[in-house]
Amino acid sequence: MTQHRKQPARRSSAVWAVAITSMAGFITALDNLIVTTALPSIRKDLGGGLEDLEWTVSAYTLTFAVLLMFGASLGDRFGRRRLFAIGLTIFTAASAAAALAPGMGELIAARAAQGVGAAIVTPLTLTLLAAAVPAERRGVAFGVWGAASGIAVATGPLIGGTLTEHLSWQWIFWVNVPLGLALIPLALLRLDESHGPNPSLDLAGTALVSGGLFGIVYALVRGNADGWTSTPVLGGFFAGTALLVGFVLYELRAKHPMLPMRLFRHRSFSAINAASLLMFLGMFGSIFLLSQYLQTVGGYSPMEAGVRMLPWTAMPMIAGPLAGALSDRIGGAPVVTVGMALNAVGLGLWALAVKPQVSYTALLPALIVCGIGMGMFFAPSANLVMSTVRPEEQGIASGANNAIREVGGAIGVASLAAVFSAQGGYGSASLFVDGLRPALWVGASAVALAAALALLMARQRKADGPAAGIAVGDAPVAAI
């Protein structure tokens, strides 16, 4: 009788865990792209230039990226449920601050605070979910969680455009507040507390990587305005690079490193992470500019722009499962290679199609090709990352890959915007296109390089055979 009572109670706890973590994953993933279709309205309302718009996006992705693994460590040490609730509180309060921001400086600061909250919440959603759901049902639970995050990414531009057009841009941030306020007490009441096996905090590593990435992104953002040979820009590049080198050297010797450098001894792990960085560099930077192109040059309203982005952002919901099934049959590396190649082709099609006056049908092939390419990248690339490390290291490997992707997105927005502002601007439709076209070619080149790295992985796997990679010590346990 007692056992019978425990089973429904455990089932109820698992259902609550799936619901709470999936919704938390939804709102943090939503803020990656929800702001893109609101950028012209934000610029019109608050003023500021291209650099301010870059930081509106990058302040979130950069803090999210550099603190992602640190957030997981905080949960391991101080309690995952407790830190999950704290992260939600930070994210919700920062969302309200962003909605109330009277100027660009305040908005950028609030976006950075949002990234801090998201960096705590996101890694803990998976650990809390794994602790609450029995092993035999985790596949379904993770599928629901992944679907929620996927829907957030797919509909982010549309939701942002709809709220901006029918209410105001502030509502892209207000929408998080009631959801966050509902999730905080539910998490405290319905989730069980747990701690991780490694309670150590890598404060020095976090400070080094945060300062290094900030220096490089700052230099990219300010390059055109201050001059590429100016003291602040060169100082940002040099200081940022020095801090990143210091981060690598420190992590090699740290007793409990945030990012174990031994993982990168596996060539395929290094290759898929480098490819992921380049992929997000090209795609995020392009989306940042193209969402503005549809409104500034195309003349579409924010909601209309969001709808017209759906063939790109929603296509992974269709192509993703098919790509996953295909990767089970032929391996992940070939699928990822084709996906990245399609993304490079799609960005090239965009660069050829953009004009001061162009019909939407002329842009549609580029949207569809990019969408299929993204769908062929996401699921197989995650499996590739997992296959290069031991089972006990999969959590940190996944966190590292997600952080590297977000870093790529932040650098992509900064670097492609630098190309755009060097060649064009907002003065007229022709001037916008003059800057957009070379930026898209840079994005396409970055993704093409990512495809080349993935192709090397595919060839390595074919040469090594299915048993390659099984080794002793710090070597990987599976081959790609």
Side-chain angles (χ1 to χ4, degrees):
M1 186 75 174
T2 304
Q3 183 68 23
H4 180 72
R5 283 199 201 97
K6 285 183 179 178
Q7 287 180 349
R10 186 174 183 183
R11 190 178 300 115
S12 175
S13 176
V15 170
W16 276 110
V18 171
I20 293 168
T21 58
S22 295
M23 183 55 68
F26 176 86
I27 60 175
T28 54
L30 187 68
D31 270 59
N32 264 311
L33 290 180
I34 193 173
V35 73
T36 54
T37 43
L39 289 173
S41 298
I42 292 173
R43 183 168 66 92
K44 182 179 178 181
D45 194 10
L46 297 183
L50 178 64
E51 298 87 358
D52 298 305
L53 296 182
E54 291 175 63
W55 281 116
T56 302
V57 177
S58 295
Y60 181 81
T61 56
L62 196 57
T63 53
F64 185 24
V66 299
L67 297 177
L68 190 64
M69 300 178 74
F70 185 66
S73 299
L74 286 173
D76 287 348
R77 179 169 184 175
F78 296 109
R80 292 163 176 164
R81 181 185 65 181
R82 178 186 302 170
L83 263 294
F84 182 75
I86 291 173
L88 280 172
T89 302
I90 295 171
F91 182 82
T92 304
S95 297
L100 295 170
M104 290 298 297
E106 293 84 357
L107 176 59
I108 292 166
R111 286 285 286 166
Q114 275 189 307
V116 173
I120 298 172
V121 169
T122 301
L124 296 180
T125 56
L126 289 175
T127 51
L128 287 166
L129 195 56
V133 179
E136 65 273 12
R137 295 182 180 176
R138 284 177 192 162
V140 175
F142 288 157
V144 173
W145 178 90
S149 298
I151 291 171
V153 172
T155 59
L158 175 59
I159 293 173
T162 302
L163 292 172
T164 300
E165 183 174 342
H166 294 290
L167 294 171
S168 67
W169 64 262
Q170 285 88 347
W171 278 93
I172 67 175
F173 302 116
W174 280 126
V175 71
N176 296 325
V177 175
L179 294 173
L181 291 176
L183 286 173
I184 293 167
L186 283 174
L188 294 172
L189 292 171
R190 296 293 182 177
L191 297 178
D192 295 327
E193 185 61 280
S194 64
H195 294 76
N198 181 17
S200 302
L201 297 177
D202 188 0
L203 295 174
T206 301
L208 286 169
V209 72
S210 300
L213 289 170
F214 176 81
I216 289 173
V217 172
Y218 172 84
L220 287 169
V221 169
R222 296 298 305 171
N224 284 310
D226 295 345
W228 293 100
T229 58
S230 65
T231 300
V233 171
L234 290 177
F237 278 127
F238 288 135
T241 302
L243 287 171
L244 289 180
V245 171
F247 168 72
V248 172
L249 295 175
Y250 176 83
E251 294 294 287
L252 285 169
R253 299 182 179 183
K255 186 176 181 181
H256 298 290
M258 178 176 70
L259 179 58
M261 291 296 151
R262 68 176 182 276
L263 297 178
F264 293 93
R265 294 177 187 172
H266 194 298
R267 282 179 295 175
S268 292
F269 182 84
S270 298
I272 187 59
N273 278 288
S276 296
L277 185 144
L278 289 168
M279 168 76 174
F280 271 65
L281 188 156
M283 298 306 292
F284 255 67
S286 299
I287 290 173
F288 169 77
L289 293 170
L290 288 170
S291 60
Q292 297 181 70
Y293 167 79
L294 290 174
Q295 296 179 64
T296 304
V297 178
Y300 297 111
S301 69
M303 186 180 75
E304 290 171 342
V307 170
R308 282 158 178 78
M309 290 287 284
L310 282 177
W312 185 347
T313 57
M315 187 61 71
M317 301 295 293
I318 301 171
L322 298 176
L326 183 61
S327 68
D328 288 338
R329 294 175 63 91
I330 66 173
V335 178
V336 167
T337 300
V338 173
M340 290 180 172
L342 285 174
N343 273 296
V345 170
L347 291 180
L349 291 175
W350 266 107
L352 293 172
V354 291
K355 297 176 182 176
Q357 292 182 339
V358 64
S359 66
Y360 177 69
T361 54
L363 304 175
L364 197 55
L367 286 161
I368 294 173
V369 171
C370 284
I372 294 173
M374 282 182 67
M376 295 182 70
F377 166 79
F378 283 120
S381 66
N383 288 333
L384 288 174
V385 171
M386 295 297 98
S387 71
T388 60
V389 297
R390 301 188 189 97
E392 64 269 21
E393 293 177 327
Q394 287 182 346
I396 197 165
S398 176
N401 182 251
N402 284 324
I404 287 169
R405 290 181 182 187
E406 295 293 334
V407 167
I411 294 175
V413 168
S415 56
L416 266 65
V419 175
F420 168 83
S421 59
Q423 302 293 324
Y426 291 101
S428 65
S430 297
L431 196 59
F432 194 100
V433 171
D434 288 342
L436 175 61
R437 191 175 289 118
L440 289 175
W441 283 121
V442 171
S445 300
V447 181
L449 181 56
L453 288 172
L455 182 61
L456 290 177
M457 287 192 299
R459 289 180 174 176
Q460 181 69 34
R461 181 181 185 274
K462 185 176 180 181
D464 291 344
I470 301 175
V472 184
D474 289 332
V477 297
I480 292 180

